[in-house]
Amino acid sequence: MSVLKNFGLDAAWKWREKLCVSQQSEAYRVFYGPGEGAGDSRFFAIDRFADHYWITEWEGGGGTREEFKRHLIRFLKSQGAQSIVGLNRPEKGVAPESIAWEGVPPVGKIKIMEFGIPFWIQLTQTRHPGLFLDHAPLRAWLKAQMKGLRVLNTFSYTGSLSIAAGIGGASHVTTLDLSKTAIDWAKENWTLNQLAEDSGRFITGDVFDWLVRMKRQNETFDCIVLDPPSFSHGKKGNFSTLKDLEKLHGLAMDLLSSDGFLITSINSANIARKKYESDVFTAAKKRGMKFQIVRQIDLPETFPTELGEESDRYLKGWILRRLS
Ligand SMILES: C[S@@+](CC[C@H](N)C(=O)[O-])C[C@H]1O[C@@H](n2cnc3c(N)ncnc32)[C@H](O)[C@@H]1O
């Protein structure tokens, strides 16, 4: 079979088996086209949720897109797929909701196990299934390291990082997001994991408002997670990773206990690591704080990229520890 005919799917499937991801988790990226694809398969990604699949389709490519889609459906069905949904991601503007490509996808939320932790995910009537699979290593780290700590998870979305911290034994977790839908989902994930009601606080609100409020109330945290989107329109004005990283990190540093962890992650291909590091460093310097890099956050092995193609490596960040 030529490279173009199999589009890289067989190799990608075998790689997940070799990584043992497929044996340990129901949720993982099966195929990251920009790094693993051949021909038009480079414009697709495949995420697995048990025997249901979520396809992300980006703009671009030539005349073999439809051929690839047919191949993809055949391939996933041969691996036991029950349903496949697709989401079209336009370069500009908001994506429409996912649509069924094959089978009858489940309606409403379904429970999925990711490395032993259950999460609610949703495949239809949504633009995102509710679990960012590229953060699986960060969830594993939080599960291992948060015992006894007070955690603040900002830009929480459905709270998966809060859940990992809670499962890891955090003494208290505050989960904060602008979207009420996301916070309600995060609460459902907290309950699903049987985490104690009084060890979780859920806030629907603007990070830029709440970080200032928390400082006024002398609140401190042993671990703060910042995972902002590239742009947002919050109640306190607009945020952009290009302009506002220093301000955001400064506000979080004001709440960090000595020896505390600051976890920072962005999903912005257009920001170089150097500029990002310099913004975080400036915020720390202005406060006379020093940080140690505990770990660099990068795309995991299930999101392979080609050497020299930095723009495909959109995820970047660090787990930092404040030096007292
Ligand atoms: C990239 S997602 C975060 C993913 C999350 N950390 C995870 O691992 O699942 C960004 C989230 O930031 C939220 N958001 C955007 N602007 C915000 C703001 N100003 N204050 C609070 N949350 C905001 C969005 O509602 C969205 O849920």
Side-chain angles (χ1 to χ4, degrees):
M1 199 184 268
S2 75
V3 168
L4 202 63
K5 282 282 179 229
N6 96 39
F7 291 99
L9 288 188
D10 295 323
W13 191 269
K14 283 188 188 123
W15 175 234
R16 276 52 177 190
E17 279 174 354
K18 196 166 169 62
L19 290 172
C20 297
V21 186
S22 44
Q23 295 90 315
Q24 293 170 22
S25 178
E26 289 182 325
Y28 59 94
R29 179 148 294 193
V30 167
F31 176 73
Y32 181 45
E36 297 177 281
D40 283 347
S41 70
R42 295 182 64 83
F43 299 94
F44 293 81
I46 306 175
D47 293 329
R48 181 174 190 179
F49 297 99
D51 285 329
H52 304 284
Y53 291 82
W54 175 284
I55 316 298
T56 305
E57 188 178 347
W58 292 284
E59 279 178 29
T64 57
R65 291 185 80 98
E66 292 309 313
E67 187 188 345
F68 172 64
K69 281 190 192 182
R70 284 194 297 276
H71 172 71
L72 178 159
I73 292 170
R74 260 196 322 272
F75 179 84
L76 293 180
K77 278 175 81 176
S78 74
Q79 303 292 350
Q82 282 181 28
S83 77
I84 304 174
V85 300
L87 182 101
N88 238 309
R89 285 272 298 266
E91 241 155 60
K92 288 202 178 106
V94 184
E97 287 179 353
S98 60
I99 53 164
W101 278 18
E102 185 66 28
V104 183
V107 176
K109 296 195 178 93
I110 56 167
K111 190 178 86 173
I112 288 292
M113 300 299 291
E114 189 204 48
F115 299 103
I117 304 183
F119 292 103
W120 291 118
I121 65 121
Q122 186 166 325
L123 298 170
T124 53
Q125 297 182 306
T126 181
R127 293 182 177 84
H128 195 274
L131 189 63
F132 280 95
L133 300 176
D134 49 9
H135 268 327
L138 183 54
R139 283 187 282 276
W141 189 86
L142 287 164
K143 190 176 156 198
Q145 301 297 335
M146 288 298 101
K147 199 170 177 53
L149 303 188
R150 289 181 62 80
V151 179
L152 170 63
N153 179 20
T154 69
F155 303 99
S156 69
Y157 188 42
T158 57
S160 73
L161 302 175
S162 302
I163 305 306
I167 296 274
S171 61
H172 195 271
V173 183
T174 300
T175 301
L176 169 59
D177 198 282
L178 202 52
S179 150
K180 184 176 181 310
T181 310
I183 285 296
D184 287 345
W185 197 330
K187 281 183 198 165
E188 286 167 18
N189 275 330
W190 191 263
T191 309
L192 177 67
N193 278 279
Q194 299 175 350
L195 291 160
E197 221 173 284
D198 59 0
S199 63
R201 171 168 60 153
F202 295 86
I203 303 170
T204 304
D206 191 321
V207 167
F208 289 92
D209 181 17
W210 275 90
L211 292 181
V212 175
R213 270 201 220 190
M214 286 165 167
K215 185 181 175 188
R216 260 202 319 265
Q217 286 157 4
N218 293 321
E219 281 197 62
T220 58
F221 299 91
D222 307 310
C223 178
I224 300 177
V225 182
L226 299 175
D227 183 22
S230 304
F231 301 99
S232 92
H233 308 288
K235 293 191 179 118
K236 287 273 151 182
N238 293 343
F239 165 84
S240 126
T241 40
L242 270 175
K243 296 190 283 100
D244 304 312
L245 282 177
E246 185 201 318
K247 178 182 173 196
L248 173 66
H249 286 76
L251 292 174
M253 284 170 190
D254 288 341
L255 305 179
L256 195 64
S257 62
S258 47
D259 297 335
F261 293 105
L262 179 63
I263 299 179
T264 172
S265 159
I266 58 171
N267 179 334
S268 304
N270 60 342
I271 303 213
R273 226 178 230 283
K274 243 192 164 146
K275 148 97 172 85
Y276 181 15
E277 182 166 355
S278 146
D279 284 356
V280 179
F281 180 65
T282 306
K285 206 167 158 200
K286 282 188 181 165
R287 285 159 180 79
M289 289 184 184
K290 284 191 166 208
F291 285 88
Q292 189 177 58
I293 296 177
V294 175
R295 181 182 280 207
Q296 184 161 299
I297 294 173
D298 221 325
L299 283 177
E301 290 162 306
T302 41
F303 289 65
T305 55
E306 273 184 38
L307 188 67
E309 296 290 340
E310 203 190 330
S311 62
D312 294 336
R313 281 191 290 286
Y314 61 86
L315 185 75
K316 25 185 112 69
W318 298 272
I319 297 173
L320 303 172
R321 183 155 212 181
R322 184 175 167 189
L323 297 172
S324 43

